[in-house]
Amino acid sequence: MAIHPTAIVDPGAEIDGSVEIGPYAVIGPHVRIGAGTTVGPHAVIEGHTTIGRDNRIFQFASLGGIPQDKKYAGEPCELVIGDRNTIREFTTFNIGSPGGGGVTRVGNDNWLMAYVHLAHDCIVGNNTIFANNSQLAGHVEVGDWVILGGFTVVHQFVRIGAHAMTAMCSLLFADQPPFVMSQGQPAQARSMNFEGLRRRGFSPARIAAVKAMHKALYRDGLTFDEAKGRIGTLAQATPDAAGDVQLMLDFLGRVSPQRGIVR
């Protein structure tokens, strides 16, 4: 273990012997950090925070602080971070709250740039990219492979489906389905993330099915239920895309009528 002599590490913290902790970092008593993780200078990790393997946490990050929620009364809620994440300068990740399940969770292989904020009870999947100043309010869910443009702001309880993407300065008040690209204030659906899907190895048949889903949701004047019905038929027409179709149907099945989806 390489801990700089100016760092303050509580004796109760569970730190793997291979962890590196930089100057003036502060590690609280309920923190656990896995093998190969590095913690930069002046970072603060507190609360009931569990961090996995091979993460790189940069200087001035603040992880595990109490939620910015007036109802919070000191309950032992958690922040759980997976493996191989890059967490850049001045990021702020809060622990969960009793009203939201008690856990804020970040998956694996995420790239979280400077000034990103994850409020209480957010759930972030794997392989995401959050550009500088992306801000999530409480209870937001973000699927795998999502890309948030710089200064994206997401309202509380909004969900963003896998492979979705936002443009810079987007403001999300509604759920954004999988594969959708959005832009604007409030955000509107502009297209699907076709280039991202190609880079991830989606076949032409799967991309064609995503295009058909886009038409059903946004181009052909269908009601929400009609669009779901048409999307459901695509799995038979394109068996290779059955998983993509089910991903979309599962997401649409949880959309709140009050919130709706980006249009």
Side-chain angles (χ1 to χ4, degrees), residues 180-205:
V180 169
M181 293 180 67
S182 73
Q183 180 268 335
Q185 301 178 347
Q188 296 178 316
R190 303 300 187 187
S191 183
M192 295 295 210
N193 186 16
F194 298 122
E195 183 57 33
L197 300 182
R198 292 186 187 98
R199 292 179 182 182
R200 287 169 212 141
F202 275 55
S203 68

Side-chain angles (χ1 to χ4, degrees), residues 5 27 31 33 39 86 103-104 139 170 182-183 189 201 223 229 237 249:
I27 310 296
V31 172
I33 303 178
V39 179
T86 297
V103 181
T104 302
H139 311 276
S170 294
S182 73
Q183 180 268 335
T223 67
L249 291 175

Side-chain angles (χ1 to χ4, degrees), residues 90-153:
F90 301 101
T91 46
T92 53
F93 300 178
N94 296 154
I95 60 172
S97 71
V103 181
T104 302
R105 192 178 300 276
V106 178
N108 304 322
D109 301 296
N110 298 289
W111 186 271
L112 303 155
M113 298 187 195
Y115 293 96
V116 164
H117 174 63
L118 305 184
H120 57 87
D121 307 295
C122 286
I123 305 295
V124 176
N126 306 311
N127 299 107
T128 68
I129 298 173
F130 288 16
N132 297 314
N133 285 97
S134 299
Q135 309 281 306
L136 305 189
H139 311 276
V140 169
E141 297 181 25
V142 179
D144 297 344
W145 298 102
V146 166
I147 299 175
L148 299 184
F151 295 89
T152 292
V153 177

Side-chain angles (χ1 to χ4, degrees), residues 8-26:
I8 300 174
V9 179
D10 192 281
E14 298 179 24
I15 311 294
D16 185 86
S18 61
V19 170
E20 297 179 15
I21 300 176
Y24 302 102
V26 178

